[in-house]
Amino acid sequence: AQSVTQPDIHITVSEGASLELRCNYSYGATPYLFWYVQSPGQGLQLLLKYFSGDTLVQGIKGFEAEFKRSQSSFNLRKPSVHWSDAAEYFCAVQGGGSNYKLTFGKGTLLTVNP
Amino acid sequence: DTAVSQTPKYLVTQMGNDKSIKCEQNLGHDTMYWYKQDSKKFLKIMFSYNNKELIINETVPNRFSPKSPDKAHLNLHINSLELGDSAVYFCASRIQGHNEQFFGPGTRLTVL
């Protein structure tokens, strides 16, 4: 069964500081991996995704993530955080087959201090 | 606008009532999903339909009954609502052959 672990429930950074959100996955084959962001009271917005190829993927809003198969990780990074980045971040793994269901981690809440 | 839309956005109701949430997508997708986000923000798949056929049913109580009248719509009917049903319900859609799912804005259900 596929699963995702986001070890950090809550992270606080200062505006302008760098950010790394951790994600570890469990899946028997090559995974499809996603990062979503949810602002307060809003829906889910896709930040970036990894399917294959280059292990460093670029997303929207200046985010990037690196797939490391040996560590079963897909950590999200941003070199300089903006106050508007404060939100809940979800990592997700997707199986293939006929259903492509997403299995989400429990999320990491990002607080940005001015 | 092309999107996944859900109605209503907010739903407050009493325990024991029956309610429905509607989802529509005009993206031409053929697979649709319902996810539940609980009070701790944990997101979990509930159902998936592909071309109006149920393909995922993740141990959801049978008080929940999805209905897909056509490929563009996936509604969720909930009977005998319980306090634990309070959550945000997200609809999503995907086109066959592509992995990315597009999410609706969510419906916040509060059961009193």
Side-chain angles (χ1 to χ4, degrees), chain B residues 34-49:
Chain B
W34 278 111
Y35 290 85
K36 178 181 179 181
Q37 185 175 44
D38 64 21
S39 59
K40 296 183 178 179
K41 299 288 185 74
F42 185 48
L43 274 154
K44 189 169 164 51
I45 182 82
M46 297 175 70
F47 298 104
S48 176
Y49 269 73

Side-chain angles (χ1 to χ4, degrees), chain B residues 85-98:
Chain B
D85 298 331
S86 295
V88 180
Y89 292 85
F90 286 100
C91 177
S93 70
R94 177 182 69 85
I95 192 157
Q96 198 163 3
H98 290 76

Side-chain angles (χ1 to χ4, degrees), chain B residues 18-62:
Chain B
D18 303 338
K19 290 293 179 185
S20 291
I21 305 171
K22 295 185 176 182
C23 177
E24 177 182 1
Q25 54 89 9
N26 60 3
L27 299 165
H29 292 172
D30 50 21
T31 305
M32 297 183 73
Y33 303 81
W34 278 111
Y35 290 85
K36 178 181 179 181
Q37 185 175 44
D38 64 21
S39 59
K40 296 183 178 179
K41 299 288 185 74
F42 185 48
L43 274 154
K44 189 169 164 51
I45 182 82
M46 297 175 70
F47 298 104
S48 176
Y49 269 73
N50 177 261
N51 285 319
K52 303 193 296 175
E53 288 190 31
L54 181 67
I55 56 172
I56 298 176
N57 183 343
E58 290 277 319
T59 60
V60 177
N62 57 16

